Amino acid sequence: MDHKEGAYKVRDIGLAGEGRKKIEWAESRMPVMMELRKKYEDTKPLKGYKIAGCLHVTKETAVLIETLRAAGAQISWSGCNPLSTQDDIAAALAENGTEIYAWHGQSTDEFYWSIERTLDMKPNLTLDDGADLIFTVHNKFPELAKDIIGGTEETTTGVHRLRAMAADGKLIYPVIAVNDAETKWDFDNVYGTGQSSLDGILRATSTLFAGKNFVVAGHGHCGTGCAKRASGTGSSVIITEVKATAALKGALEGYQVLPMKEAAKIGDIFITATGVKDVITKEHFEVMKDGAIVCNTGHYDCEIDIDALEEMSVSKRTVRPNNEEYTLKDGRRIYLLAQGRLVNLAAAEGHPSEVMDMSFANQFMSQIRLVDEDKAGNKLDPTVYDIPEDQDQYIAGIKLRTLGYSIDTLTPEQEKYLNDYAAGT
Ligand code: ADE
């Protein structure tokens, strides 16, 4: 389609005022982003570069978008999940001149239509959460890659797939793995997912956690966060895993570790955080208790076999927003939250601003790094790149300072000692 800068398709532009207040609230909790905005708004290092983005449209993402624009970039944006767009935020962004195609409750066709519209501008960079934009370029518009100097990827699932593509020689432009920064996954994935997932479950159910059996499928970073927070509520936490070390960590935290087949019989609340498909399936629904609550916080909605649940049910009704009651043939009821999509973003507002501050600082600095390489005439190989350690330390340093903490520095003697392989007892 013809490209028009500043074009938009959102649910209701009249919601912009509400959205703007929320964005200002996020800004007040994102000091690292605000410091980066201040640092680059005069020099505008991204001027002349076009960025297509595909990432949940939230108040925190709005801070990222407006920081990229302040640094000179031209932006075109879509959401990365049909249920995660906050319509007031999309409206506020559109009103402020961001080209955006995003609304809550998109169909699959509308979702891909929106991604494709962001490509009409012929971007120089891509910014993803889940890699749907990168895959759309690769699968449908590979000719656009000639103008693309690189991309950045936010999430574990996306990075996993991009590494697999790179290993097969199928990646056609370089991508920075934002997810793998220590200041991203040790904070966002753990504390962000933990808090916002429980927030989503609460908003959708208003249930009491204390005294419940809370089953967390997957004890990676995201599952660790969910389990940590659930255990603090008085729930008994049960971990299911396929990886021995991850299961062992759960056991040593004091959680029960069970195969899903066993956990399914005793769980009251289930959350999947694995990144793989078919984690909760027919055989598990068959043995679940009446009233069990089931949800997912992984990127894609394939972790729970919803088709099986549909087939096993005689009726279905919405009992609360984001809460579907399925009645099975034997009368048991199972409650599926947010249609099996990311419960933290679909039923709540996603991770709190304070953690997204660091994740998005990594996004922002990675986009700047790709542009710097381009300006220096360096053509990066089409593979997946890690975040440099000094970027992590820089971001963590600003975060610590703005939180009011200070830390020690090594003395020259300590530095020497650290590298002294002759030193002993
Ligand atoms: N992913 C998880 N939480 C998020 C948020 N608040 N904004 C954007 N992406 C997110």
Side-chain angles (χ1 to χ4, degrees), residues 47 197 339 366 406 422:
K47 195 164 183 343
S197 299
Q339 299 169 34
S366 300
S406 49

Side-chain angles (χ1 to χ4, degrees), residues 55-61 86 129 154 188 196 344-345 349-353 356 360:
L55 196 148
H56 307 293
V57 179
T58 65
K59 57 192 183 306
E60 292 76 24
T61 301
Q86 294 165 18
D129 183 335
E154 173 84 5
D188 168 315
S196 62
N344 61 334
L345 280 141
E349 288 176 66
H351 302 355
S353 309
M356 295 316 292
F360 286 164

Side-chain angles (χ1 to χ4, degrees), residues 5 32 172:
E5 211 179 318
V32 182
I172 55 180

Side-chain angles (χ1 to χ4, degrees), residues 89-154:
I89 304 294
L93 285 164
E95 190 192 56
N96 203 27
T98 294
E99 182 177 336
I100 181 164
Y101 308 92
W103 59 97
H104 187 91
Q106 290 189 318
S107 66
T108 305
D109 284 350
E110 289 167 337
F111 177 76
Y112 285 105
W113 177 89
S114 299
I115 289 181
E116 292 186 16
R117 291 298 64 73
T118 68
L119 293 172
D120 288 339
M121 58 142 49
K122 301 195 172 27
N124 310 114
L125 295 123
T126 59
L127 191 159
D128 257 280
D129 183 335
D132 280 321
L133 175 60
I134 297 181
F135 295 148
T136 303
V137 172
H138 279 68
N139 300 334
K140 212 164 163 193
F141 305 102
E143 71 284 0
L144 292 179
K146 70 176 180 345
D147 292 325
I148 299 180
I149 58 173
T152 53
E153 168 53 47
E154 173 84 5

Side-chain angles (χ1 to χ4, degrees), residues 63-78:
V63 175
L64 169 64
I65 291 173
E66 294 188 341
T67 304
L68 290 164
R69 291 186 71 204
Q74 185 185 324
I75 299 289
S76 188
W77 211 266
S78 71

Side-chain angles (χ1 to χ4, degrees), residues 202-223:
L202 274 182
R203 292 195 204 194
T205 63
S206 179
T207 198
L208 177 72
F209 288 139
K212 298 277 169 63
N213 283 332
F214 195 115
V215 180
V216 181
H219 196 239
H221 282 80
C222 295

Side-chain angles (χ1 to χ4, degrees), residues 13 22 57 77 87 109 136 139 160 165 197 206 212 238 246 256-257 284 297 327 357 404 410-411 413:
I13 195 71
K22 290 185 187 165
V57 179
W77 211 266
D87 287 324
D109 284 350
T136 303
N139 300 334
H160 207 85
M165 258 176 113
S197 299
S206 179
K212 298 277 169 63
I238 301 166
Q256 230 182 313
V257 178
H284 307 121
T297 196
T327 303
D357 193 21
L410 289 172
T411 63
E413 290 74 26

